[in-house]
Amino acid sequence: MPHRDSHDVIVVGAGASGLAAATALHAAGRDTVCLEARDRTGGRLLSAPTADPERALDLGATWFWDGEERVRTLAARAGIETFEQHLTGDTILQEATGTRRLAGNLIDAPSRRFAAGSPSIAAALAAALPGDTLRLNTPVTAIHPDGQGRLAVGTPDGTLHAEHVILAVPPALALERIEFGDALPADLVGLARSTPVWMGAVAKVVAQYPAAFWREEGLAGAAFSRTGPLEEIRDMSGPDGRPAALFGFAHARTVGAGFDNAVTAQLAQLFGPAAATPDILHVQDWSTEPWTSPSTVRRLADYSLFGHSLYQRPTLDGRLHWASTETATEHSGHIEGALAAGERAARAVLAVPDVLNSRIVVAGRE
Ligand SMILES: Cc1cc2nc3c(=O)[nH]c(=O)nc-3n(C[C@H](O)[C@H](O)[C@H](O)COP(=O)(O)OP(=O)(O)OC[C@H]3O[C@@H](n4cnc5c(N)ncnc54)[C@H](O)[C@@H]3O)c2cc1C
């Protein structure tokens, strides 16, 4: 059956934020579609499968913390298995002069993880939406007022129309990938172009091993490095240490020829010779992901713009709303912030009383 081209609300992006917005709108009875550029949901929630189908290694978000009630509640309601981050053991500090062992875990705060990987959060939200809500492989390329009081949303498959649009993508990416003509106010354009993408300039490196051998030596798997290429390293093993893994963050500019060898040499220097030969080394460079990071991502650094007041107000006659973790006023950068921003945008849509009436009038004319 062909898709309808007119909806109450179009949500752009099926990451945690867009899915949270679509969930709230669907629950309130609004005709909503969620357009996603990639062939998968989750955005910055991404994991690599392991031999055990119930365990995965996170290549994007990993943890949630006390006080992040939306994530905790969602995981509990959806029956998602979570477990505590391994904390026990000493920390290693790496400096140009060598490595030092420091007593205790000086890096990790208590947190929880998702046993099957953080995409389980997105999968749970997506699974609860009606089947025709989500359209994958559908990048939004343009958004304009349509001259009839609604917004026209361009995609490679054609133009859709909606009373409201929620932009659940990082603002700087939206400005680079979506054509708005001269419809947006200049201050908003300047703000969005300057707002960093959380973790967008980072490469996450995950090394999987046959066993968490560092734990047997009283190490937490936690390290800071002043030399790199990995700057911060953590234990990323699953529940009970299986699968066994370490992960580290590197600045994306350091990824290139020789990077993998530099990483395994560094891991061996920190954790001993067994660390030199991981079973698998995953390198996920988020700066080269076209649906996460704009070309400017490595230059964007003013995190005080997160949650800016302009993102809390709709624009284009009250019809275009901002979501994404970058627009959240609390827990911005985190999954919790993404969910909060999606819910806030949905509430703003629902606060406009005439959406449903207007849809009935339009449908009546057809
Ligand atoms: C390496 C890394 C580690 C992290 N660690 C943690 C952590 O431990 N804990 C934590 O809470 N958070 C962490 N985060 C942050 C967390 O992943 C994000 O806060 C959250 O996933 C953002 O969700 P979002 O929906 O706002 O954006 P995104 O996940 O970026 O979703 C945006 C979606 O929009 C889609 N899209 C983009 N442009 C278009 C377009 N034009 N048309 C249609 N679709 C489009 C994208 O494909 C994507 O699916 C981490 C992130 C990274 C990258």
Side-chain angles (χ1 to χ4, degrees), residues 12-19 35-38 40-45 59-65 68 71 118 138-141 168-170 173-174 177-178 197-200 202-204 249 284 286 290-292 323-326 331-339:
V12 185
S17 202
L19 290 169
L35 307 180
E36 167 54 50
R38 288 177 164 106
R40 62 173 181 84
T41 61
R44 281 170 275 178
L45 309 180
L59 304 177
T62 310
W63 302 291
F64 65 101
W65 292 270
E68 298 194 331
V71 183
S118 63
T138 309
V140 167
T141 53
V169 309
L173 182 74
R177 297 269 184 278
I178 301 174
V197 179
W198 182 250
M199 302 302 257
V202 160
K204 182 167 175 176
F249 291 125
Q284 174 67 29
W286 285 95
W291 300 115
T292 297
S324 95
T325 195
E326 285 77 12
H331 304 286
S332 51
H334 290 182
I335 305 168
E336 180 75 9
L339 297 173

Side-chain angles (χ1 to χ4, degrees), residues 158-238:
T159 301
L160 289 81
H161 298 263
E163 303 289 337
H164 291 267
V165 173
I166 294 178
L167 271 174
V169 309
L173 182 74
L175 267 288
E176 191 167 285
R177 297 269 184 278
I178 301 174
E179 171 59 50
F180 292 96
D182 56 4
L184 294 180
D187 54 353
L188 184 56
V189 170
L191 168 68
R193 286 202 176 122
S194 311
T195 303
V197 179
W198 182 250
M199 302 302 257
V202 160
K204 182 167 175 176
V205 179
V206 180
Q208 188 179 343
Y209 296 100
F213 53 85
W214 54 93
R215 294 187 185 177
E216 283 150 32
E217 290 162 30
L219 293 172
F224 309 96
S225 173
R226 299 206 167 106
T227 64
L230 303 181
E231 294 167 359
E232 229 184 77
I233 295 149
R234 319 289 184 86
D235 187 315
M236 214 185 72
S237 309

Side-chain angles (χ1 to χ4, degrees), residues 39-108:
D39 61 1
R40 62 173 181 84
T41 61
R44 281 170 275 178
L45 309 180
L46 173 70
S47 58
T50 68
D52 178 346
E54 298 191 352
R55 301 282 177 263
L57 294 170
D58 283 313
L59 304 177
T62 310
W63 302 291
F64 65 101
W65 292 270
D66 279 355
E68 298 194 331
E69 284 305 302
R70 290 177 182 82
V71 183
R72 192 189 61 75
T73 310
L74 177 56
R77 277 204 197 125
I80 293 170
E81 182 188 351
T82 66
F83 66 103
E84 280 180 14
Q85 167 71 26
H86 175 81
L87 297 178
T88 317
D90 292 342
T91 307
I92 310 264
L93 170 64
Q94 182 176 38
E95 297 174 295
T97 49
T99 61
R100 278 195 286 152
R101 182 168 177 147
L102 306 173
N105 184 337
L106 305 179
I107 301 186
D108 286 300

